[in-house]
Amino acid sequence: MLVNADFHIHSCFSMASSKDMLINNMAPKSKLKGLQLLGTGDAFHPKWLDIVQESTTYSGDGIYTANSMDFVLTTEVEAKHRIHHVIIIPDLDIARELSNKLPSKNKATDGRPKTHLGGAELLELAHDYGCLIGPAHAFTPWTGMYKSYDSIYDCYEKKPDFVELGLSADTDMADTISELKDFPFLTNSDAHSPWPHRLGREFNQMELEDISFSSIKKAIKHKDIKANYGLVPNLGKYHMTACTKCYRLIDPATARENKMKCSCGGTIKKGVDYRISEIADFNKPHHPSFRPNYVHLMPLAEIISSVYNKGVTTKTVQGIWRKLIDNFKTEIDVLINEDVNDIKKIDADVSLAIESFRNNTIDIMPGGGGQYGKICFKKEVKKPKMITLDNF
């Protein structure tokens, strides 16, 4: 069976997460998105585990069900060098035992615990309990694994189970790194709120024997991911090298020359695009035979917001979003599967934007320094100029 799955999210207990990140809010909104399987996030937080247990029915083999939505226990851990790791966990008992074993001072206060353990120690602990583990948003400049290491094996020593690409990278970028040829890639949302423009903004389409932890583990081990869906990378907020204060895009050579300090006084952060170029072995991607298609998309509400130049949560945007969902059932169907001519009957402008995504003809102002990129549906919008030594 084909299943749309988003494994990396956060609960109401994580820093900067919405208080509405609760099972009973996530479940119905995930169904409207078109997901069949969702990670719980924050599965080392004792109070969140209590809420998961109280809010769901155990369906067996690691799956917890609420309002017809299936959940698997997952967590993100911040380990040595501020590197983030995603762990997929077999069941609540193991989650509680691992939480007790993880050396961490903040696991009772923050859904994403911090530990002094290195990647190799965390991998060994996870594998001792039958969990799956891999780097979260592997290339991002603040907490990605490749910001500290040139090789995944320098971090983990042994082979982790997967690599999460993050919003600022895609398969074409990652497959320029030869050591990743044997790894399945995951694309997850890292959602901090239950809005459908956050949940499932990146997701994996997987072939599962059934919805169970055993099937998830088998599919990842056997590389049975059939498609990765996610943002166009330059929409990601760390795609390009840029200032974290004024968000100007800055040529990496200029950034280095000025010791990563912008002329505005802000700090310049190395972009995912440039970081991958530093460690890449190929100029063009070398996809292994098992690598599935990477399909670029953007949350429907954000497309509507860009078309109408109105906030994503405004009545205008949400009204059009609701009308489309009422007619076509799920957001993923609208974005990927429904006939554009049928969408056009509901909203002609939005149908053109969706068609542009499907045809890969959109125009984008790249993101960087912590600011998301922007779609330019109007020709008169000018792209920002890259700052170089000549105009720094």
Side-chain angles (χ1 to χ4, degrees):
M1 61 189 299
L2 279 176
V3 172
N4 295 331
D6 178 4
F7 295 109
H8 181 179
I9 69 164
H10 290 278
S11 77
C12 58
F13 292 102
S14 273
M15 188 181 299
S17 275
S18 167
K19 66 181 187 310
D20 294 325
M21 281 300 270
L22 297 163
I23 295 293
N24 290 333
N25 293 327
M26 298 174 194
K29 288 180 169 59
S30 297
K31 287 197 295 181
L32 290 174
K33 185 74 177 193
L35 300 172
Q36 290 86 41
L37 178 62
L38 193 65
T40 61
D42 297 356
F44 287 166
H45 192 285
K47 290 183 179 178
W48 178 236
L49 290 177
D50 290 342
I51 290 174
V52 171
Q53 188 162 18
E54 293 163 5
S55 304
T56 64
T57 300
Y58 186 51
S59 300
D61 199 350
I63 300 300
Y64 299 82
T65 305
N67 297 316
S68 302
M69 175 56 60
D70 291 322
F71 291 82
V72 64
L73 294 164
T74 61
T75 192
E76 182 182 33
V77 174
E78 182 174 304
K80 188 178 179 180
H81 303 311
R82 291 195 66 210
I83 293 172
H84 288 189
H85 309 262
V86 174
I87 304 175
I88 306 174
I89 305 162
D91 59 43
L92 273 167
D93 289 339
I94 289 175
R96 293 187 193 281
E97 191 166 346
L98 272 172
S99 178
N100 289 333
K101 283 204 167 187
L102 183 76
S104 172
K105 294 180 179 179
N106 74 326
K107 62 190 169 191
T109 57
D110 191 347
R112 182 175 56 211
K114 297 179 181 180
T115 180
H116 66 266
L117 296 182
E121 295 167 297
L122 197 59
L123 180 146
E124 184 175 0
L125 182 62
H127 281 180
D128 282 348
Y129 283 84
C131 301
L132 298 163
I133 184 172
H137 37 72
F139 307 102
T140 53
W142 294 104
T143 55
M145 181 270 300
Y146 278 112
K147 61 102 179 176
S148 294
Y149 295 101
D150 289 338
S151 169
I152 195 168
Y153 296 102
D154 290 340
C155 176
Y156 292 103
E157 295 180 7
K158 298 177 182 177
K159 184 180 178 183
D161 301 297
F162 56 82
V163 172
E164 184 186 72
L165 297 179
L167 305 184
S168 296
D170 65 5
T171 297
D172 279 349
M173 296 172 68
D175 272 336
T176 61
I177 302 169
S178 61
E179 72 172 8
L180 297 183
K181 67 182 183 299
D182 295 325
F183 288 87
F185 293 156
L186 294 186
T187 40
N188 301 307
S189 69
D190 198 359
H192 286 65
S193 84
W195 287 90
H197 65 270
R198 290 290 181 253
L199 286 172
R201 60 183 169 176
E202 297 205 345
F203 66 94
N204 314 275
Q205 191 170 81
M206 308 174 71
E207 183 69 42
L208 300 181
E209 294 176 356
D210 54 27
I211 297 184
S212 65
F213 177 82
S214 298
S215 290
I216 295 165
K217 187 172 187 176
K218 183 177 179 181
I220 291 175
K221 291 285 190 182
H222 292 181
K223 307 179 181 72
D224 284 333
I225 298 165
K226 299 305 179 184
N228 293 107
Y229 291 87
L231 295 183
V232 181
N234 51 8
L235 284 171
K237 61 183 180 178
Y238 297 112
H239 182 72
M240 300 290 285
T241 299
C243 175
T244 59
K245 184 178 180 181
C246 70
Y247 302 118
R248 291 188 300 169
L249 305 183
I250 299 171
D251 178 72
T254 302
R256 290 196 308 271
E257 182 77 16
N258 289 275
K259 298 181 179 179
M260 306 306 281
K261 276 294 181 182
C262 182
S263 57
C264 78
T267 299
I268 300 169
K269 268 296 173 183
K270 185 185 293 185
V272 168
D273 178 67
Y274 182 64
R275 178 57 183 145
I276 288 178
S277 76
E278 289 183 314
I279 55 177
D281 304 285
F282 312 114
N283 292 325
K284 294 182 179 180
H286 284 51
H287 300 304
S289 59
F290 68 86
R291 185 76 71 222
N293 288 336
Y294 191 107
V295 181
H296 293 128
L297 47 68
M298 183 180 185
L300 180 58
E302 292 187 1
I303 291 176
I304 300 167
S305 172
S306 297
V307 168
Y308 284 92
N309 197 28
K310 291 183 180 292
V312 73
T313 59
T314 59
K315 287 185 178 180
T316 297
V317 171
Q318 289 300 311
I320 296 169
W321 183 88
R322 172 52 70 177
K323 190 181 292 187
L324 288 163
I325 299 306
D326 287 345
N327 276 271
F328 301 115
K329 294 186 179 178
T330 78
E331 178 173 318
I332 289 171
D333 282 332
V334 175
L335 293 171
I336 298 166
N337 301 321
E338 297 295 343
D339 192 306
V340 173
N341 290 322
D342 291 333
I343 299 171
K344 190 175 182 179
K345 295 172 185 176
I346 307 298
D347 192 294
D349 291 331
V350 172
S351 73
L352 288 173
I354 291 171
E355 189 173 27
S356 294
F357 258 96
R358 294 183 185 182
N359 296 337
N360 196 29
T361 57
I362 55 171
D363 196 18
I364 295 174
M365 292 192 296
Q371 183 178 70
Y372 287 106
K374 296 178 181 177
I375 296 177
C376 307
F377 290 116
K378 296 182 180 180
K379 296 293 185 183
E380 63 267 22
V381 178
K382 294 182 179 179
K383 289 188 177 182
K385 185 184 291 186
M386 175 75 73
I387 303 300
T388 65
L389 285 170
D390 293 332
N391 57 9
F392 188 71

